[in-house]
Amino acid sequence: MISMTNVVKKFNDKTVLRDVSFSVGQGEIFGLLGPSGAGKTTIINILAKQLTAESGSHIVDVEDFTQVGLMLEEDGLYGRLTTVQNLNLFAGIYGVDKSKVTTALADVGLADAGKKPVAKLSKGMRQRLALARAIIHSPKVLFLDEPTANLDPNTARGIHKLVFGLRDAGTTVFLTTHNMEEAVNLCDNVALLHQGEIVEYGSPKDICQRHDSFKTVPDLESVFVKLTGVVLE
């Protein structure tokens, strides 16, 4: 459903992606892991057709890009509108019944915030509203950029449950995170990204087992430190 082959991206004279290749199967939850500045958001922006790569190829295998859901770092929400008004607007753009607005808000734990202006929402609530907007049209492919950053553990677990439900309904999920525990709990496969290069790729279990000193899945972060010398925070 999603693939990149030998993608290179530069900003001015700085190379931010170096020969990046990976693939994501239909119905898979794929995690791109790495610290801030590693190139995670750049990869999503290229796949979402918001940036152009210098070289290489990439594909998101959908008939129409309206079948893609996006939750990016910049949420693009309208601060003067309420949460319901924001979602009604996007329901109209996607051509879906506005009854799905209520369902989407409930799915992300905002059922009681329908009349609240976005400008008065906390950062975490804005983040959940951006997720509701991304899933309101039941996308075939869903991109989530740091979906649980700034969320309390209980809310994050609710988002994880929602992601599993989307996967079970056939959605392919591509997420970025620097939270190794989240990646282990959610992802079928992951790519470890460091300074624009993929240093490991595979299931969390397989990655750990490829490194003799680390035999268990919770040691995924230790593998990253071993390969890069970088401690994720």
Side-chain angles (χ1 to χ4, degrees):
M1 286 296 289
I2 305 169
S3 68
M4 268 192 168
T5 305
N6 306 123
V7 165
V8 173
K9 176 62 183 174
K10 297 181 180 181
F11 291 116
N12 298 320
D13 294 330
K14 182 180 180 181
T15 301
V16 294
L17 296 179
R18 307 170 188 273
D19 201 33
V20 170
S21 299
F22 60 84
S23 62
V24 184
Q26 183 175 0
E28 180 180 332
I29 300 176
F30 176 83
L32 186 62
L33 283 69
S36 297
K40 303 187 302 295
T41 300
T42 299
I43 287 175
I44 283 189
N45 283 333
I46 290 172
L47 291 169
K49 301 182 179 181
Q50 299 193 24
L51 286 175
T52 302
E54 268 60 47
S55 61
S57 61
H58 56 90
I59 188 171
V60 179
D61 190 14
V62 292
E63 294 177 5
D64 188 302
F65 223 71
T66 59
Q67 296 175 319
V68 173
L70 295 168
M71 178 186 170
L72 303 179
E73 187 175 12
E74 296 295 328
D75 59 41
L77 297 167
Y78 297 98
R80 293 184 180 181
L81 301 182
T82 66
T83 61
V84 165
Q85 288 169 336
N86 266 270
L87 292 194
N88 279 341
L89 178 63
F90 285 95
I93 291 172
Y94 287 120
V96 301
D97 194 290
K98 290 185 178 180
S99 64
K100 290 193 174 183
V101 168
T102 302
T103 301
L105 286 174
D107 284 342
V108 299
L110 292 176
D112 296 329
K115 295 181 180 180
K116 197 164 187 176
V118 166
K120 294 185 178 181
L121 298 180
S122 67
K123 189 171 183 179
M125 292 175 76
R126 285 185 70 116
Q127 194 163 344
R128 284 184 277 159
L129 182 60
L131 177 57
R133 183 189 61 194
I135 64 174
I136 195 170
H137 59 306
S138 302
K140 291 181 66 175
V141 174
L142 178 62
F143 289 100
L144 302 175
D145 195 4
E146 302 281 358
T148 60
N150 308 306
L151 300 183
D152 64 83
N154 188 54
T155 302
R157 284 191 291 272
I159 298 302
H160 291 175
K161 183 177 180 180
L162 175 61
V163 170
F164 281 130
L166 292 166
R167 187 273 312 274
D168 292 344
T171 299
T172 301
V173 181
F174 183 112
L175 66 90
T176 70
T177 184
H178 61 267
N179 185 326
M180 291 292 182
E181 182 179 359
E182 178 170 74
V184 168
N185 290 336
L186 276 181
C187 299
D188 300 299
N189 289 294
V190 299
L192 307 185
L193 189 70
H194 177 60
Q195 295 182 347
E197 295 184 77
I198 291 179
V199 296
E200 259 292 10
Y201 172 80
S203 73
K205 181 178 180 180
D206 288 346
I207 288 174
C208 290
Q209 290 181 342
R210 279 200 290 271
H211 295 267
D212 293 339
S213 299
F214 309 108
K215 296 296 185 182
T216 62
V217 171
D219 283 325
L220 184 61
E221 185 165 1
S222 299
V223 173
F224 189 86
V225 174
K226 175 186 176 183
L227 293 171
T228 68
V230 174
V231 178
L232 297 178
E233 298 180 356

